[in-house]
């Protein structure tokens, strides 16, 4: 069996669980085109993700949340001789940007953030976004392409990133490629992100999650949230109506 065949049958990354704890080691998932390294950082147990293009070695960090030394150590231990080229901030809340200024200053990486959250990120960190992200944009890291999905409601400019893993999807809601979705605080196991019991914000967020995520992507889409364990769209899809009924 080739490495590619192993990935497509789900055997190459079976050791990855997505469960990490603050102070503990990262969990690592190796796919054909990209390696994903997940780390929990304190004090609020935020998840940070380093995505490495296996062709070029270039890296992307999702959420420089806290503990910059640990984040940079995570990046340095990624494979290849590439560099950290971009830090994507999923949203402007302070627990997701605590290490942003330090990481950008020490690496020279570009800072990318949802356009409506960019002023708040700059106010909190002093970092002016090199790139303001809009729904439908793409972000490149080496040869890897990530689609920007705006999921409004947790904050006005919250974004997710979608990576399509070629030729892997299966199941009744399958599409051509399995998707790996980095959702920040917009989608978790058990529901969407906090909208402070505001019915307008909740409806907007849930509508975006349904229209832009559940209606587009297959059940085997893997969800990497901003806190806690991972999930899949297949695990969450049966509960969407219940989320809407409860209002949070």
């Amino acid at each position: 069996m080739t490495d590619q065949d192993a990935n497509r049958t789900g055997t190459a990354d079976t050791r990855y669980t997505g469960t990490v704890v603050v102070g503990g080691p990262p969990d690592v998932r190796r796919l054909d085109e990209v390696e994903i390294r997940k780390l929990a950082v304190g004090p609020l147990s935020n998840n940070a993700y380093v995505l490495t293009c296996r062709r070029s070695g270039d890296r992307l960090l999702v959420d420089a949340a806290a503990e910059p030394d640990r984040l940079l150590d995570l990046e340095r231990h990624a494979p290849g001789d590439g560099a950290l080229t971009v830090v994507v901030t999923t949203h402007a809340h302070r627990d997701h940007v605590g290490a942003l200024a330090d990481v950008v200053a020490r690496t020279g990486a570009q800072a990318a953030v949802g356009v409506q959250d960019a002023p708040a990120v700059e106010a909190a960190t002093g970092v002016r976004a090199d790139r303001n992200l809009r729904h439908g944009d793409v972000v490149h890291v080496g040869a890897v392409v990530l689609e920007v999905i705006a999921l409004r409601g947790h904050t006005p400019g919250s974004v997710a990133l979608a990576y399509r893993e070629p030729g892997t999807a299966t199941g009744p809601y399958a599409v051509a490629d399995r998707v790996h979705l980095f959702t920040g605080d917009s989608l978790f196991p058990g529901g969407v992100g906090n909208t402070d019991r505001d019915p307008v914000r909740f409806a907007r967020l849930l509508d975006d999650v349904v229209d832009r995520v559940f209606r587009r992507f297959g059940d085997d889409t893997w969800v990497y949230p901003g806190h806690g364990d991972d999930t899949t769209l297949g695990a969450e899809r049966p509960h969407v109506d219940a989320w809407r009924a409860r209002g949070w």
Side-chain angles (χ1 to χ4, degrees):
M1 179 182 291
T2 68
D3 288 344
Q4 186 176 34
D5 290 337
N7 275 341
R8 290 183 175 178
T9 56
T11 60
D13 57 8
T14 54
R15 289 176 293 181
Y16 177 83
T17 67
T19 299
V20 291
V21 296
V22 174
D27 203 0
V28 180
R29 185 172 219 171
R30 295 180 179 90
L31 307 173
D32 284 351
E33 296 182 332
V34 64
E35 181 190 89
I36 301 165
R37 300 173 71 85
K38 177 179 181 179
L39 185 72
V41 293
L44 297 180
S45 192
N46 288 72
N47 295 328
Y49 302 90
V50 169
L51 280 61
T52 303
C53 171
R54 296 186 66 185
R55 184 184 304 176
S56 70
D58 287 340
R59 299 117 154 78
L60 176 148
L61 172 63
V62 180
D63 283 345
E67 300 187 74
D69 289 339
R70 292 188 70 218
L71 294 179
L72 292 173
D73 187 61
L74 181 73
E75 183 269 326
R76 282 192 293 267
H77 283 86
D81 297 324
L84 181 67
T85 59
V86 60
V87 180
V88 174
T89 298
T90 60
H91 64 287
H93 286 165
R94 288 184 178 272
D95 62 314
H96 287 258
V97 300
L100 180 62
D102 201 345
V103 169
V104 168
R106 291 164 66 178
T107 65
Q110 289 194 332
V113 61
V115 61
Q116 289 181 287
D117 276 13
V121 170
E122 184 175 359
T125 67
V127 176
R128 177 173 293 182
D130 299 291
R131 185 172 179 193
N132 292 322
L133 302 175
R134 294 171 171 83
H135 182 65
D137 285 352
V138 295
V139 176
H140 296 267
V141 54
V144 174
V145 179
L146 302 161
E147 178 188 350
V148 177
I149 301 172
L151 299 175
R152 302 157 296 180
H154 183 65
T155 65
S158 290
V159 295
L161 296 176
Y163 164 68
R164 294 179 179 271
E165 181 189 357
T168 52
T170 59
Y173 287 93
V175 291
D177 307 315
R178 180 170 65 168
V179 172
H180 296 258
L181 193 63
F182 300 86
T183 57
D185 285 2
S186 292
L187 179 62
F188 294 100
V192 297
N194 179 30
T195 54
D196 297 317
R197 301 284 182 162
D198 181 328
V200 174
R201 288 173 55 198
F202 171 74
R204 176 174 291 172
L205 177 55
L206 187 58
D207 286 347
D208 275 358
V209 167
V210 170
D211 292 341
R212 298 177 175 183
V213 174
F214 282 99
R215 288 179 179 165
R216 291 188 58 207
F217 302 134
D219 274 355
D220 53 2
T221 295
W222 198 276
V223 176
Y224 304 81
H227 303 267
D229 290 343
D230 299 355
T231 187
T232 65
L233 291 191
E236 307 304 323
R237 194 184 300 274
H239 309 294
V240 171
D241 289 342
W243 302 347
R244 191 179 295 278
R246 76 189 183 192
W248 56 273

